[in-house]
Structures are given as C-alpha cells and as structure tokens.
Amino acid sequence: MRVSPTTQCAGRRSQSDGRSRAGRRSLSVAIAVALATPVGVLSAAADPAPAPAPKAAKTKVVKISGKQFPKLLDRPGSASDVIVLTKLAGADWFVGSATEAVKFEGSAKTASVSVSAATTINAKAAPDTEANKFVLNGPSSFTYTPTDTPISYTDDELKGFLTFIDLPGTKGDSVVLTKADGVHWKIGEVVYDEAKFGKKGTVTAKLPGGEKVFPVAAGATLAASSPAVTNGIAGVSSAETITYTAQQLAAAVQVGDNPLDATKGMGKGASVETVQITGLPGLGWTVGSSPKAVKVKPGVTVHVPVPAGDLDTTTSLAVAPQPASGVTVPTTGTPAAPTPVSLNFADPTTATPIAVGDRVADTDRSGTTNDTLVLPTARGMSWFAGQRDAKNKLAYKQLKAGKDGNAVYKVKHSKDGKPVTVSFRAVPDRGYLVSNAAVQTATFTVAETTVAAPALTSGTVTLSATADGIGAWNLSRTLNGKSVKVSYKPADLTAAGATSIVVPTESVDVKILKGYKTA
C-alpha cells in the first residue's frame, strides 16, 4: 500500500514528540530524587578516593671500609700536602670544625683538601631524603699529622732524574722521566705529576719537536734563578746524525762485578767475569768473541758475561760499539770498523773492601713467631747465618737478598723458652773483600707482650696506627634494630696516613697476632 508523504511526516513527528516527552519525564524524576536526597550524601558521592599514605623512608646503613679512608699525601715541605677524599653515597666529609661538607666537582669520585698542620676529617651521614634515611657504620673522625720536611735540588740533581733518548733526526726522540719527591715535570703544556706517574717510578715522554723538560716545584725548593727552572733541560737535537766520542764510549763500558759467580770464599779472580754496560741511544755492543750485538736500553745498566775462553790466555777484552743508522763512532783500520773499548781484567793486588752494614735493629719482637734478622747486602758478598742445634753444632745457611737489598733470617726458637743466639758473618764473593768478616751474634728472647683492647669512651673507641701486636679490631653495634659489624686493621690507618681514628661502637673484639697475648 502506498503511503502519502503527508502521512509519513505526521508519523515522524509523532515519534519525535514521544521521545521528547519521555526525556522530560526522566529529567523530572531525576530532579525530584535530587531534591529528596540529603546534601551530605551527594557530597560523599562526588569526592574522589583518598590518596594512599606516603611510604616511610628506608633506612640505609653506610659502611666505610679501610680502602675508603681519606688518604694523606705527605709531600716534601708543607705547601703541597693534601688529603684525598673518596665520594661516598650516603655520607659527607667535613674538614675540622667546618659546617659545610666538602664538595665534589661534577662526576668526580675524589676531592682533595690542602693541609699544612694536624687535621681532623669528620664523617657524617648525609641528610635524610623522602626515600632514604642514612646512618653511618664506620669512623666518625680521622686524625692526620703531615710532616714538614723540606727538600731542595740542584740543577745537576734534577738532570739526574732525566734520561734522554736522542736518535738521528727528531723521530723517536724521547725522555725517561723519573719520579722525584716534590717535583713535577712539564713538557709543552703537559704536566707529569703524581696522577701521570700512578704507581710507576718512571714515565717515557715523546719529544717530536726537541722539546725541553722544565722542573716545576711541587713541595720541593727550586732556585728561581736556576737555569734548569728558567730555561728548561735540553737533551735531544734534530741533527740527522749522532756522534759519540771515545770518552763517551769508554764511560759506557767497564769491568763488571761478579753477580753470576757461584764460587764463594776468599781468593783472587772470578769463575765468571762480566762487562758492565750502560745503554746509549742508537748503540749495541759486541763483547769479546761473541758476534751477537747486545742491545741495552738507554740509561739502563746490565752485566754481560764474558764469553767462555776469552780470558784464558789474556787479561784484555775488546768491547766494540755497533752503531745504528745515523750514529757515528770512532773507527780504525781498513776497511774502517768501530774502535773497540779495551778492558783490563787483571786481578788487582789489593782490593777496596765492601762496607758491611750493621744488622737492622729492633728485630727481637714479641713472642717467638715474629723474630727475624734483617741484614743489608751489597753486590760482591753474601750473608751467612745460623744457630746451634741440639748437639751444639753451628750450621750456617747462605741468605738470599730480596729486591729491597736485604737478606732476612727467620729465627728458630727452642721449646724450653730460653733465649736463642743467632751467629752471622759477611762472606765475600771470589775476588772481593769485606770490611768486617768476623762472626757476629744477636740474641732473641721469647717474652710475649701483653696487648689490651682499646677502651670504650662514651660509645666510641679510638684506634691507633701504631698499635703493636694487633691483627684487627672487630667492632659491632646496633643500627636500625639490627646488629652491624665492621673490622679495621692498623695497616688500614698506615696506608691512609692516618694517625688515629674514632669509631662509634658498642663492643670491641681484638684479634691478636701470634707471639702476643691478651691482658
């Protein structure tokens, strides 16, 4: 059935009017409900949910280890003495009575403060934050006593710290800088200070432009008018050739002592002779009949054995320089060959005795386990030491010197607790004499030293770097409801240069070294 347009319009109007009336009825009902609802109920429904309570700050215990102790760099004089502080998370450092903490620049992990007299460094927990609360477990103060020992150098002494390597031209020229107390070295704009040297005793610096080396006072006294200070120290040139004189070559080689001689005892001569060579830039050396050139680093001294048989029928030995390209030495013969240095190995009719030092004092330590006899040793001699056995027989043992030049004998004690005597004597190598070849003795006792634990005073304990017989201090206390512990050794204080430290604690347990006893 066909519907007229008029009828369709009327239908749509009727639907629209119905929806409007329904909407008005719903609004009227909502208004009525709202008017009937108490005001408090409406407010409660409109407010947001309450915010969660803030979290309590977390307590963090900041432990200071021995490696984190402030470290005193006690340099010559007092102008350059500093204490180096390590940055700690949750702790601040204060100098003396200062109320402002030491600041660390940028991302730096250390900071240095200059000191010239006895100084106290205090450690405090960092200020609390919303997230963290810090408490300190470790020393609250450190005491340092820098010394004021001035040192000065002459120009010749300063030059002695430098070894120039001057090769033909400028390529490869360099200088070996030796660390000198109270002195930094400056080449161009680069300063070679403690940081540059690190743990090394020497540093090699290139000199591509023939640069000079300037000494810079860093605690030591250097004369302002000194040529080395004002003009620098030169040691290389741009010359394409290096010319050595006969005198320079003769000074570089000489008859060596006898470090390889295995035969001990008095007498002339030696079973193995050596040539002592001090290296020069651009030179190697042939020793006697050996065709192989020995290369020695500039400034380094070595002992080269004389080839077997070379001194069987003669006392003269030729040591010839072998120059590299661009190096000139005196020559002889046709065709020209480097002129050798002639060394005379004839045994002298007299010899200058080697000075034998006295034994190092204070070797009789507490108890029996730490007693040692320390003897300074020189080249060309050895120390022999021993004790009488149960049959009263005295047996000597040869002592080997360590890298520090000292020979050490460990004392053996008997079970009866009586003092023991060690006999020792200096014995020269073949071909040498000593100033005192007599038998000497040293007596060692077995008495034990009593060690007492440091006293607690107002909840703190003072620990000293000079404590004798202490292996470690074990400290404990309660922090944040828990028992926390920390341990320090006298060596920790010595390494940091600290005289003493003060540590808050509730108890002290002392670890005693062998040979000592507790009170």
Side-chain angles (χ1 to χ4, degrees):
M1 179 180 68
R2 183 179 181 187
V3 181
S4 67
T6 303
T7 305
Q8 291 177 345
C9 290
R12 285 194 292 271
R13 284 195 301 271
S14 176
Q15 292 174 1
S16 176
D17 292 343
R19 286 195 294 270
S20 299
R21 287 193 295 273
R24 287 193 294 271
R25 283 197 299 273
S26 298
L27 181 60
S28 299
V29 172
I31 293 173
V33 172
L35 292 174
T37 302
V39 175
V41 175
L42 281 176
S43 299
D47 288 343
K55 292 183 179 180
K58 184 179 180 180
T59 300
K60 288 191 173 184
V61 177
V62 182
K63 182 180 178 181
I64 301 179
S65 68
K67 292 182 179 180
Q68 296 170 320
F69 283 5
K71 186 174 183 179
L72 170 66
L73 300 183
D74 191 5
R75 296 166 175 149
S78 59
S80 299
D81 293 341
V82 297
I83 295 177
V84 180
L85 306 170
T86 300
K87 190 173 185 179
L88 299 178
D92 290 326
W93 300 108
F94 297 82
V95 180
S97 59
T99 57
E100 184 177 351
V102 175
K103 294 182 179 180
F104 292 78
E105 297 295 334
S107 59
K109 295 182 180 180
T110 60
S112 298
V113 294
S114 297
V115 294
S116 58
T119 302
T120 299
I121 299 293
N122 298 311
K124 297 181 181 180
D128 296 340
T129 64
E130 291 184 2
N132 296 307
K133 180 180 180 181
F134 301 103
V135 292
L136 202 61
N137 181 27
S140 58
S141 70
F142 304 75
T143 301
Y144 298 86
T145 309
T147 58
D148 184 7
T149 306
I151 188 171
S152 61
Y153 296 101
T154 64
D155 279 13
D156 287 340
E157 289 173 330
L158 291 171
K159 292 176 182 178
F161 290 103
L162 308 177
T163 301
F164 288 95
I165 302 173
D166 187 14
L167 300 178
T170 57
K171 185 177 180 181
D173 287 352
S174 60
V175 61
V176 179
L177 307 172
T178 301
K179 185 184 291 186
D181 288 339
V183 174
H184 295 163
W185 305 105
K186 185 177 181 181
I187 301 175
E189 297 301 320
V190 180
V191 176
Y192 291 83
D193 53 11
E194 284 82 1
K196 284 283 188 182
F197 277 93
K199 295 182 179 181
K200 298 179 180 179
T202 60
V203 171
T204 300
K206 294 182 179 180
L207 304 173
E211 293 86 353
K212 295 180 179 180
V213 181
F214 288 83
V216 180
T221 301
L222 304 179
S225 59
S226 160
V229 174
T230 57
N231 303 324
I233 302 172
V236 298
S237 70
S238 59
E240 293 300 325
T241 59
I242 299 176
T243 301
Y244 288 110
T245 65
Q247 290 78 9
Q248 288 174 308
L249 298 178
V253 293
Q254 56 185 305
V255 174
D257 56 8
N258 192 29
L260 303 180
D261 186 3
T263 304
K264 308 299 176 184
M266 300 296 292
K268 296 179 181 180
S271 59
V272 179
E273 302 284 8
T274 66
V275 175
Q276 178 179 303
I277 301 176
T278 301
L280 293 174
L283 281 186
W285 299 87
T286 54
V287 176
S289 61
S290 175
K292 185 177 180 180
V294 178
K295 294 183 178 180
V296 184
K297 292 183 178 180
V300 176
T301 299
V302 299
H303 289 79
V304 181
V306 174
D310 278 17
L311 297 176
D312 286 350
T313 59
T314 181
T315 58
S316 179
L317 185 75
V319 182
Q322 301 298 320
S325 177
V327 179
T328 301
V329 297
T331 59
T332 55
T334 305
T339 303
V341 177
S342 181
L343 300 179
N344 182 14
F345 280 82
D347 292 331
T349 56
T350 59
T352 301
I354 300 170
V356 178
D358 293 333
R359 71 177 188 273
V360 176
D362 300 327
T363 55
D364 185 12
R365 298 184 176 90
S366 175
T368 62
T369 60
N370 301 296
D371 289 344
T372 56
L373 183 65
V374 183
L375 302 164
T377 303
R379 292 178 75 94
M381 55 82 62
S382 299
W383 285 102
F384 283 72
Q387 299 174 232
R388 295 191 180 278
D389 58 19
K391 297 181 180 180
N392 203 34
K393 182 180 179 181
L394 181 60
Y396 283 99
K397 176 183 177 182
Q398 182 182 352
L399 307 181
K400 184 178 180 180
K403 292 182 179 180
D404 60 356
N406 291 327
V408 179
Y409 177 81
K410 186 172 176 58
V411 180
K412 302 178 182 66
H413 282 274
S414 58
K415 294 181 179 180
D416 58 13
K418 295 180 179 179
V420 297
T421 299
V422 177
S423 301
F424 58 98
R425 64 187 293 251
V427 177
D429 293 350
R430 240 185 119 181
Y432 295 87
L433 299 174
V434 293
S435 60
N436 182 9
V439 175
Q440 304 178 61
T441 60
T443 301
F444 296 86
T445 61
V446 297
E448 291 184 329
T449 301
T450 300
V451 175
L456 279 169
T457 304
S458 301
T460 64
V461 63
T462 300
L463 309 180
S464 172
T466 58
D468 187 34
I470 302 293
W473 299 283
N474 299 314
L475 315 176
S476 64
R477 62 174 172 153
T478 301
L479 288 176
N480 195 32
K482 296 181 180 180
S483 177
V484 294
K485 298 180 180 180
V486 67
S487 179
Y488 299 117
K489 301 176 181 179
D492 294 332
L493 281 71
T494 301
T499 306
S500 62
I501 61 176
V502 176
V503 190
T505 187
E506 295 168 0
S507 67
V508 183
D509 178 38
V510 179
K511 182 180 179 181
I512 305 299
L513 295 176
K514 288 183 179 180
Y516 294 80
K517 62 182 180 180
T518 56

